[in-house]
Amino acid sequence: MSFVAIIPARMQSTRLPNKPLADIAGQPMVVRVLEQALQSNASMVVVACDDMAIQDAVTVAGYACMLTRSDHPSGTDRLAEAVDRLELPDDAIVVNVQGDEPLIDPALINAVAAHLASDASLAMATASHKIDSSEDFFNPNVVKVVCNAQQQAMYFSRAPIPWDRDSFAEDNDDEDWVLPAELDAQRHIGLYAYRAGFLRAYSKLNASRLEEIEKLEQLRVLWHGYKIGVYRAAQAPAAGVDTQEDLERVRAVFTKAAA
């Protein structure tokens, strides 16, 4: 199975300015992400960015980067432009590796790509892992996914789903709730694989009201009737970088590894 990994990167970040260029053990974060993706089975890894400073940082490090339009509303739209410019065939598999995941597991990249390749009816594939704590289950920043019997996404939400009516009815204090073992709540992992043809179609799909309410872009895909396969990971992946605190944590990991 062959696939291409594309890393969309944009300079603007409300919580961490110039995030793609943040130094991690002597390399910009976007380069650290790229180095992780290169350890996967991807036949090609390329950064698709919106700023010359990012392009310069990647090319100076010796890697592939393309400068894309600056007005894309999402990383998926940026991927669609990159797919066209790379002239990938419609059946090519493209993995979207987030540009703020310098600790992304290459094996997870491979697994999500393989999950998509295994089922021709899927437009996309993503990943999830089991939620074990009530704190995560009730946290709106933790996105949940519910799947059908074919392990295809039925819905993504920031709300606590699925809701165990009988178990949770016994106590209305969510701080004391213990998740029932049979609940099997799943946390969504923001790693995506697409077929190139679907990426071309996606850029023309209208946004859905659900997407706007939940602020979850993948709901547009379900709204328009496309199927998303969900690979179940055995454990949670390393967290990405959203804040300065996250950045310091990742820097410590790289410093320890180099020691």
Side-chain angles (χ1 to χ4, degrees), residues 178-189:
V178 175
L179 299 185
E182 65 275 11
L183 183 67
D184 193 31
Q186 291 287 311
R187 178 177 187 163
H188 177 231
I189 299 171

Side-chain angles (χ1 to χ4, degrees), residues 5-65:
I6 302 179
I7 303 167
R10 65 186 187 95
M11 191 64 83
Q12 298 301 319
S13 173
T14 55
R15 288 191 285 180
L16 193 60
N18 301 331
K19 183 162 65 170
L21 301 183
D23 181 83
I24 299 177
Q27 288 285 10
M29 178 159 53
V30 67
V31 172
R32 291 301 187 190
V33 175
L34 194 150
E35 290 172 341
Q36 288 296 104
L38 284 169
Q39 295 180 52
S40 73
N41 295 332
S43 60
M44 178 195 312
V45 180
V46 60
V47 173
C49 70
D50 69 346
D51 193 287
M52 280 292 298
I54 299 174
Q55 184 181 47
D56 290 345
V58 173
T59 55
V60 164
Y63 302 118
C65 184

Side-chain angles (χ1 to χ4, degrees), residues 131 133-140 144-147 154-186:
I131 297 175
S133 74
S134 59
E135 180 181 0
D136 283 345
F137 186 64
F138 292 103
N139 184 349
K144 277 69 68 173
V145 58
V146 171
C147 297
M154 297 171 65
Y155 193 65
F156 297 86
S157 183
R158 298 182 182 279
I161 58 172
W163 184 260
D164 190 324
R165 187 197 65 173
D166 292 341
S167 294
F168 294 149
E170 297 174 4
D171 192 341
N172 62 7
D173 183 359
D174 61 1
E175 293 183 1
D176 296 329
W177 270 328
V178 175
L179 299 185
E182 65 275 11
L183 183 67
D184 193 31
Q186 291 287 311

